[in-house]
Amino acid sequence: MEISGADLFLKALREEGVDTLFAYPGATAIDLFNVLYDADDIRLVLPRHEQALVHAADGYARSTGKVGVCLVTSGPGATNMVTGIATANFDSVPLVCFAGQVPLSLIGNDAFQEIDIVGITRNICKFAITVRDRKDLGRIIKEAFYIASSGKPGPVVIDVPKDIQVAMGSADYPETVNIRGYKPNEKVHRGQLKKAVEALNSAERPVFLLGGGVNIAHARREMTQLAELVNVPVVTTMMGKGAIPTNHPLYIGNLGIHGNYASNHAIADADLIFSIGCRFNDRITGKLSKFAVNTTIVHIDIDPASISRNIVVDIPIVGDAKNAINQMLEICQSRERTEWVERIQKWKEDYPIHMLKYSGVTPEKIMMSINRQFDDVILTTDVGQNQLWASQYCELDIHRQLITSGGLGTMGYGFPAAIGAQIGHLDRQVVSINGDGGFQMNMQELATAALLGLPITICVLNNGYLGNVRQWQQMFYGNRYSMTCLMRNENCPLQCSGPNEACPTQYVPDFLGVAKSYGVQALRVTEEAEIDDAIRMGKENRTGPTLIEFVIDREANVLPMVPPGEALDDMILE
Amino acid sequence: MDAMKQRWVSLFVENDIGVLAKISGLFSSKLYNLDSLTVGVTEDPTISRMTIGLTSDDKTFEQITKQLNRCVEVIKVIDFTNIPTHSRELLFVKVNRITEADKMELFRITSVYPLKIVDYNKNTAILQAVEDRDTNDELVKLLSSFFINRIEVVRGGSVAIESFF
């Protein structure tokens, strides 16, 4: 029996076990939506903008480990996905993004809502393809799910012309995949791993450097066992935070330009850096020529292109993090390293991260309250100071996960990602931490969260600035606050280097008023004593979202920090 | 940084729309120096083979081959830099505004150098060479010196295949 392309699309979703579809309709996707109208086994979610739609699918994928699936129309529907796709690509998130397209006969005619989305996304996704023949549709979808979820995961874009959606063809959906140019290597080279383990055994001052790869591989339990077995302290990248519990005695903290003192010094003093699933990105290495000089480096990564790219590695190992960790558990020997561990602990005690300089509602106190009140939570952040504070102060473990846009650093990510995470875990608590700038980039999603009754606790840390850039302007550009003030209006002087008596008093928008217009419970916190109660209200409201606006010090900074171009152990502490 | 060096890579890729854009886009987006790229279908109509000439240091070259291998559309990457190959490039040179004396000169040149006159009329001649790229460079230089501002050059880019050891 022959079926339409749209029917095969629906069949494929079912075969792939898709239970949720983030979808925004339009003219060239109308046939696909038509078959979804009868599908009561697939939950359709209608975000209010396609960028937020992809971020939601991304949050769903990161929190569940499943492939996030998107469906949008051609033209602007497709181009609006671009930032979301690039965000997912940078952080290795498995997505399959379907975009409608004008009929094949119209492609190239500058038809209404025609866009070359494959051409646009080619360099920002794992794979992109236009379906040119109905007979290829099933195979292409099957391959897309396989490519997205295997090896180093990533987004795949499938461009589906309207005539393919209605064309009749085989009802078969393939069961197996064979792509001759794509054979991800997840196995670990035993000989190389043995060499790495020998180096680890003989090292006096080894450190594990863990990146997002450990979290993506769902290897947190195994990694904790391994660290305990060999007694090696652990530092993480922002994406790797939570790879072992943050309250674990072997956990030091985050590394990098906003890492803590003990982590940066541990890496500088180590004789062996044993890295798993990290890219040695510029935000964690600081000045490259001074990073880990004379230190032996082991690097395990699923992506050969990530190895020896930014820094030269002594023992490279290509493979899946979980496989590697499990094999190491078999062959590693237990060893005491009391002196080294104690030295790091002392650094940690001598140079803790606190925001003692600021009073009232500080980001640290907000994060501490979240830590105290939630023992099972998915945290999402936006990008900027809110993200850095969250990654400094939030405690993570197997029940507390952090979701953040680490690679691309996409403002507007945090709130829609929380929507996706909540949809993937309706029974769990989700807290979204945002700044006042980034929240405004996708706050239209209050409609999505309100109508679906998603009980997200939305924290907006309002300092009236694009705070991270303002901090740089303050520290490295002589207080020249060029266009970073969100309270600036027509009456402000051309140049302004900080809050003063003449500042406008009115913040636009009134976040409480915005929330009210969506029927969302909202409150504003201006006193330290109100923090706990506000967060408790968010936690206890299980019928819909709660928006909490925290009015924080306008010029609070994220510290410590390594100035641009400096070595990791050259930190500004306060 | 290690020294910049001329390299050759042979790629087996899916013979599909967009693959050429993917490969050339990889070079442009990551600021790799692409010198030449040729592509043609193989004995298997579903597979094309590309010959890519590029200039890079060792570290960048390692990254380039890894990035190429990473592409779903790329079936196989072979580094031709240090292995014996046969490499040829088609070169056409049109010589304009030639006199009778020039014509005689052209016939002398073609009897000495690996150039062939494939077409000519009263005022114009077209020469052809199928040599490696360096030889073609020399031939262009030679013809430019004889026929200043009168030549028009079209080059096909190199194709290469492993030779027998």
Side-chain angles (χ1 to χ4, degrees), chain A residues 511-523:
Chain A
F511 286 114
L512 270 53
V514 171
K516 191 175 169 217
S517 74
Y518 284 100
V520 167
Q521 168 179 288
L523 51 159

Side-chain angles (χ1 to χ4, degrees), chain A residues 122 180 303-305 307 309, chain B residues 14 21 46 59 63 66 70:
Chain A
R122 191 173 279 132
R180 54 192 171 186
D303 178 16
I307 295 178
R309 183 181 197 175
Chain B
E14 296 290 342
T46 68
K59 188 167 177 265
Q63 187 59 218
K66 283 173 171 177
R70 218 170 176 245

Side-chain angles (χ1 to χ4, degrees), chain A residues 227-245:
Chain A
E228 287 169 354
L229 174 69
V230 293
N231 271 307
V232 171
V234 172
V235 302
T236 54
T237 67
M238 190 159 70
M239 299 303 291
K241 189 165 182 182
I244 78 166

Side-chain angles (χ1 to χ4, degrees), chain A residues 391-407:
Chain A
S391 74
Q392 283 180 325
Y393 297 111
C394 286
E395 299 291 346
L396 304 178
D397 56 36
I398 210 91
H399 302 292
R400 291 194 261 207
Q401 186 191 357
L402 179 70
I403 292 178
T404 191
S405 167

Side-chain angles (χ1 to χ4, degrees), chain A residues 404 409 432 500 572:
Chain A
T404 191
S432 175
N500 58 70
I572 299 171

Side-chain angles (χ1 to χ4, degrees), chain B residues 15-81:
Chain B
N15 178 17
D16 220 337
I17 296 158
V19 176
L20 177 59
K22 172 90 188 182
I23 302 301
S24 59
L26 180 73
F27 278 80
S28 61
S29 69
K30 297 188 189 296
L31 299 182
Y32 301 146
N33 291 313
L34 181 70
D35 299 331
S36 81
L37 190 159
T38 57
V39 56
V41 69
T42 65
E43 69 283 3
D44 176 345
T46 68
I47 296 177
S48 291
R49 194 156 172 182
M50 292 184 181
T51 303
I52 296 176
L54 61 109
T55 308
S56 77
D57 57 46
D58 289 342
K59 188 167 177 265
T60 309
F61 185 64
E62 184 185 334
Q63 187 59 218
I64 291 171
T65 51
K66 283 173 171 177
Q67 292 289 342
L68 288 169
N69 264 311
R70 218 170 176 245
C71 296
V72 172
E73 300 88 341
V74 173
I75 300 163
K76 196 174 172 188
V77 182
I78 309 173
D79 176 8
F80 271 4
T81 309

Side-chain angles (χ1 to χ4, degrees), chain A residues 157-204:
Chain A
V157 175
I158 308 180
D159 184 37
V160 192
K162 194 173 185 305
D163 43 354
I164 299 284
Q165 300 169 24
V166 295
M168 301 301 284
S170 165
D172 291 340
Y173 184 67
E175 282 175 9
T176 55
V177 173
N178 182 18
I179 309 165
R180 54 192 171 186
Y182 180 72
K183 309 274 183 223
N185 177 20
E186 298 186 348
K187 287 199 196 103
V188 182
H189 191 280
R190 191 80 175 180
Q192 281 294 91
L193 195 70
K194 275 191 177 149
K195 231 165 102 184
V197 167
E198 275 161 28
L200 184 67
N201 285 340
S202 60
E204 294 300 321

Side-chain angles (χ1 to χ4, degrees), chain A residues 310-555:
Chain A
N310 299 328
I311 51 140
V312 178
V313 168
D314 301 287
I315 306 176
I317 302 173
V318 177
D320 173 69
K322 194 171 192 165
N323 280 345
I325 294 165
N326 276 330
Q327 288 189 38
M328 285 177 71
L329 280 170
E330 290 167 20
I331 56 177
C332 277
Q333 293 156 10
S334 175
R335 182 177 161 184
E336 289 304 317
R337 288 189 173 87
T338 320
E339 198 191 320
W340 173 234
V341 173
E342 279 174 2
R343 186 174 355 156
I344 293 171
Q345 287 297 350
K346 178 136 191 349
W347 281 332
K348 218 173 146 178
E349 283 158 24
D350 290 351
Y351 298 96
I353 305 179
H354 287 302
M355 300 187 78
L356 301 176
K357 217 169 128 184
Y358 309 102
S359 57
V361 185
T362 67
E364 180 181 6
K365 286 169 195 152
I366 298 165
M367 305 306 161
M368 290 304 174
S369 179
I370 292 169
N371 287 340
R372 277 195 303 277
Q373 300 197 48
F374 293 90
D375 48 17
D376 187 315
V377 66
I378 300 167
L379 294 160
T380 73
T381 80
D382 211 75
V383 164
Q385 287 182 315
N386 66 87
Q387 174 186 38
L388 299 167
W389 283 317
S391 74
Q392 283 180 325
Y393 297 111
C394 286
E395 299 291 346
L396 304 178
D397 56 36
I398 210 91
H399 302 292
R400 291 194 261 207
Q401 186 191 357
L402 179 70
I403 292 178
T404 191
S405 167
L408 194 66
T410 306
M411 282 174 70
Y413 171 81
F415 176 42
I419 290 176
Q422 185 75 80
I423 287 168
H425 301 271
L426 289 170
D427 54 339
R428 289 182 67 188
Q429 299 278 355
V430 175
V431 176
S432 175
I433 297 162
N434 305 270
D436 54 314
F439 184 66
Q440 288 186 64
M441 285 199 178
N442 268 319
M443 69 179 173
Q444 78 284 346
E445 298 307 317
L446 282 168
T448 315
L451 293 173
L452 293 176
L454 302 176
I456 304 165
T457 302
I458 307 158
C459 303
V460 179
L461 277 53
N462 187 352
N463 55 12
Y465 277 115
L466 301 171
N468 204 26
V469 180
R470 183 210 55 74
Q471 177 175 340
W472 281 58
Q473 289 171 338
Q474 181 186 19
M475 294 171 76
F476 312 117
Y477 289 84
N479 282 67
R480 291 160 59 88
Y481 289 180
S482 182
M483 298 314 284
T484 42
C485 180
L486 294 176
M487 295 184 71
R488 183 185 177 84
N489 67 22
E490 278 304 290
N491 301 321
C492 288
L494 185 64
Q495 298 187 335
C496 174
S497 57
N500 58 70
E501 283 167 9
C503 280
T505 50
Q506 181 80 29
Y507 188 89
V508 176
D510 166 19
F511 286 114
L512 270 53
V514 171
K516 191 175 169 217
S517 74
Y518 284 100
V520 167
Q521 168 179 288
L523 51 159
R524 178 176 292 131
V525 172
T526 56
E527 304 289 335
E528 184 186 337
E530 300 165 347
I531 297 175
D532 278 344
D533 285 344
I535 289 174
R536 187 173 310 113
M537 277 183 72
K539 186 182 175 187
E540 286 170 1
N541 175 15
R542 298 300 293 165
T543 57
T546 303
L547 187 150
I548 311 170
E549 178 189 8
F550 294 95
V551 179
I552 63 167
D553 189 312
R554 292 207 68 199
E555 293 181 286

